[in-house]
Structure formats: C-alpha cells, structure tokens
Amino acid sequence: MLAEIMIFVPSVTDMRLSWLRDRLNTAAAAAIVIDGLPDIKLPRSLEDSTLMATGTKAIALHKEELTRMIVVSEVPPAVNAQYDLSTKSFFADAYDAFSTLAWGGEQVVSVRGPIGASGMEIELVMSDRALRQAMLVYCREILFFSIVISLTTAALIFFTINRILIRPIGRMTASMQGFAADPGNPAAIMSPPEGRDELSVAARHLAAMQTELQRTLKQQKNLADLGLAVSKINHDMRNILSSAQLMSDRLTELGDPVGRGLSAKLVRTLGRAISYSSDVLAYGRASEAAPQVSRFALRPLIDDVGEILGLAADGQIRFVTDVKPTLEIEADPEQMFRVIYNLCRNSLQALEPHDGGDKQIRVGVAVIGDRLRLDIDDNGPGMPEKARAHLFSAFRGSTRAGGVGLGLVIARDIALAHGGAITLVEKSSPGCLFRVEIPHRAGL
C-alpha cells in the first residue's frame, strides 16, 4: 500500500496532463481545419457544435505573433487559472493536479500547448468540471486496484506465514503435547524436517531433547527396577555376611596369633561389608546418608585401604603414603574409607594391565587454611576421553570395560555431604590425580 501511495502522485499527475493533451489535440484538429477556410464568419450553430465537441468555451490559435480566435461562446468567460503544457515541472504539475481534485469543479481554466512541430500553439478556455470528474474516476480505479493488490498480498503473506511458521509451530506443539501424554512411546518423538531455517533447527533440537529425555526416563525406570532387585538381594546377602561375621568371631578364640590377627581384620572387613549392604537401601531411597562425624587418625584408615587392596610400599604396585601419623580429622570414618578405597581401587585397576616400570599409587594429604586436601595420584595410562565426558555420571562414567561407574559417584556424594568436593586435576605427567577437599578445623 505504501508503494501504491508513492505511485499515486505521479500517476494522477500524468493522467491530468494526458487528459488535457487529448483535449488540446482534439481542439487543434478542429482549429486547423477552420483556420484553413476563407476568412469568413462561421455560423453560430457551427461554433456551438465545435465548442460542444471539444468541451471548451473558447479556442484560440497562436501563430508566431498572430492570435486568431477560432470559436468563442457568446459570453466570454472569466479565467481563474492558466496552464502551459509546454513547460515541464513535476512539482508544479502535481500541485495543479491535487488543486483540481481538492478545489476544482467550478473554475474556468486556460490551457495552452504546442501543436506538434508546426510552431503553432492551441489555447483552450474550458471548465475543469469534466477534468475533475475524470480524475475522481481514475482515483477510484486506483483505489480499487490498490485494495485488490493489498488483499492479494495479504492472502499470499497469510498462506506463506501459515506454511513456514504456523504449521511447523503447530506440529511442534502437537509433538510436545503427545510426548507429554506418553513420553515412553518412541512414536511420540518428533520427526524433524530438513532445512536450515530457525524452525527446522528448533525442531531438530526438540527431537534431540525428546530422545535424550526418553532415554533418561528409560534409564530411570531400569534403575528403579534394579534398585528393587538389589534390595531383595541385599536382604539375603546381609544375613549371609552376618553369619560369616559370627564365624569369624570364633576364629579369634584360636590360639594361633597369626590367625587371631587375620580374623580381626576379617571381622572389620565383614563389618564394613554389612554396613555397606545396609546403606544400599538408603542410597536407593535418597542419596548418601548424613555423615556421622567423629575425630579419628587418618593414617591408619589409609593403611587399612592398602592392606585390603593388597598393596604395599615394596610391592609390584607400590603404595606410597605421605600422611603424618598424628594427623586427625573430623569426618565420618566409614564414608572417608569408602572414598579413599574407591579412588585407590580405580587406580589399581588402571595400573594392573598397564605395562610400565615403576607403578605406584600415592596418597598425600595437605592442610591449607581451613581445608584438608587429599590427593590420590597414580602413574597409569590416564583417564580416557570418553570417561572424562561422563566422569561423575552413574552407569556412564566407568573408566574400564565392564565397570558401572558408581565408585566416583559415591565418592563425589560423600565429599559433597561433608561440605567438600572432588575433582580430577590435570597434570603434565602420566596417570590420574583425584583431589578431595573437605573442611578442616585449625589446630587439628
């Protein structure tokens, strides 16, 4: 419509000029014929017919310095405006055109223009009523065609927007509603269209999100089923471990000092196994149990981990402990044992198949301000890139084939429960360095 408005001004101006030229040409044809006749007085009836045919009140022919009045009405009219079509000025012509539209209809105007290349000019005195009427008809036609063009454009825009916006958005909305109603149905996942426009990209992202969510929901269902199965197994296993603990207690009554020492360790190990078995149900209900904080020496607990894993300072895989025997911390001893055990076991499993010279696992502790930093470092093959992407994700972050990836998850949850954190530290030498940080009271 804006384009039509911009075109309207020159088109109306040109229509007015064309209309006036047509009148000048018609009058010029009659004037030349009359001018060629002998110099006689035309009958009044012939003059009236000529004026009526040309739609004028007077016709004058200008030849060089001579002006001849061809025909004129009985009462010469008073002229309100004069227009010379030989002079070209767009703004003046546009002003005259809109003046005629706005105030014309009752005015008498003089219009003058050249007759071809003859050197003569024709001048008409006429009413602008017919001109204004013709211009109004032309404006109505322009308005009608503008409305038709606008409606056509609007329809095209509507169908285009409906095709490229409304229908794709409707499909996405229907897909989201269908997926929400039945997220487990693979058919509810949207089939994204091909294309590089924004809606196609959004549809592909929606399909990817639905696929990932469906996979997650399926995994959660499997975990729930697994939890139920583990709970049933755990009930019977706890009874078996309790029986084994009772039999181990009887071994302590034997006279062999070596047997008594081994049985004491076996009793502690079975006690931990029973405790872990009891924690399975708690883990299935929520997360790790709240820490039962107490003060204890850290070095014996680390030595315990080494003995259970079969590590020694002079073994094939050296177990190096850089912890002061007098260092005491405030934490849950059983949970801290699980953290250190899981991390050291991961290092051991990485080092056992690894071909290398001096294989070692180092456990170091440093107190920095009000934080205790526990490092478990090995010189094995390092962490695979695939495992790094899901390092602390259950069942996805395993560092070895056949693993379930729960060790790091348990260690992270315990560290968080103590108000700390666990991170994989980048280092220039081979191997993995896991760092556990927990709060530490000054003076301990």
Side-chain angles (χ1 to χ4, degrees), residues 137-169:
V137 171
Y138 181 78
C139 289
R140 283 197 296 270
E141 292 176 353
I142 290 290
L143 177 61
F144 173 76
F145 285 113
S146 297
I147 292 174
V148 171
I149 292 173
S150 298
L151 292 176
T152 304
T153 305
L156 291 174
I157 291 175
F158 171 79
F159 288 115
T160 301
I161 291 178
N162 184 66
R163 180 178 180 274
I164 67 175
L165 286 179
I166 304 302
R167 284 195 291 178
I169 291 175

Side-chain angles (χ1 to χ4, degrees), residues 158-416:
F158 171 79
F159 288 115
T160 301
I161 291 178
N162 184 66
R163 180 178 180 274
I164 67 175
L165 286 179
I166 304 302
R167 284 195 291 178
I169 291 175
R171 286 195 295 267
M172 292 173 63
T173 304
S175 176
M176 288 187 285
Q177 291 174 338
F179 187 82
D182 188 10
N185 184 8
I189 297 177
M190 182 177 185
S191 298
E194 297 293 334
R196 293 182 294 178
D197 57 280
E198 289 80 358
L199 286 177
S200 298
V201 174
R204 286 195 290 272
H205 280 288
L206 174 62
M209 290 171 58
Q210 290 174 334
T211 303
E212 184 64 25
L213 180 58
Q214 193 172 87
R215 185 184 299 114
T216 302
L217 291 175
K218 184 177 180 181
Q219 186 182 69
Q220 293 298 323
K221 182 179 181 302
N222 292 341
L223 288 177
D225 295 340
L226 177 63
L228 178 61
V230 169
S231 299
K232 294 178 180 179
I233 296 172
N234 172 75
H235 180 271
D236 295 333
M237 183 178 292
R238 185 171 52 182
N239 294 333
I240 295 172
L241 291 173
S242 298
S243 300
Q245 189 178 34
L246 291 175
M247 289 184 288
S248 300
D249 288 339
R250 294 180 182 178
L251 291 176
T252 59
E253 300 174 0
L254 298 177
D256 187 1
V258 177
R260 285 199 301 270
L262 293 176
S263 64
K265 292 183 181 295
L266 181 60
V267 168
R268 287 202 305 272
T269 302
L270 289 174
R272 286 196 176 99
I274 294 172
S275 176
Y276 298 162
S277 181
S278 299
D279 289 343
V280 169
L281 291 177
Y283 186 83
R285 287 193 300 268
S287 58
E288 286 296 327
Q292 303 297 318
V293 178
S294 62
R295 181 178 295 182
F296 64 94
L298 185 59
R299 177 65 179 267
L301 187 142
I302 296 174
D303 293 339
D304 238 5
V305 171
E307 289 183 9
I308 292 176
L309 291 176
L311 297 171
D314 55 353
Q316 185 179 3
I317 299 176
R318 295 193 301 116
F319 188 65
V320 180
T321 305
D322 187 11
V323 181
K324 295 180 180 179
T326 57
L327 177 65
E328 293 185 347
I329 64 172
E330 286 190 348
D332 187 319
E334 292 302 322
Q335 290 190 355
M336 289 304 298
F337 177 89
R338 293 172 68 186
V339 171
I340 300 171
Y341 176 82
N342 285 332
L343 294 177
C344 290
R345 185 184 59 182
N346 287 347
S347 296
L348 176 62
Q349 291 171 346
L351 286 168
E352 282 178 339
H354 179 56
D355 295 329
D358 183 20
K359 298 189 288 186
Q360 70 171 9
I361 301 173
R362 180 182 178 277
V363 180
V365 175
V367 177
I368 303 174
D370 61 347
R371 308 286 289 182
L372 181 136
R373 178 183 294 174
L374 174 67
D375 290 344
I376 289 89
D377 189 10
D378 65 65
N379 58 354
M383 182 71 64
E385 287 298 326
K386 183 178 179 181
R388 288 175 182 266
H390 307 284
L391 193 58
F392 296 103
S393 299
F395 303 99
R396 299 177 67 187
S398 176
T399 59
R400 61 185 178 87
V404 294
L406 283 176
L408 290 177
V409 177
I410 293 172
R412 181 202 58 186
D413 290 347
I414 292 175
L416 292 175

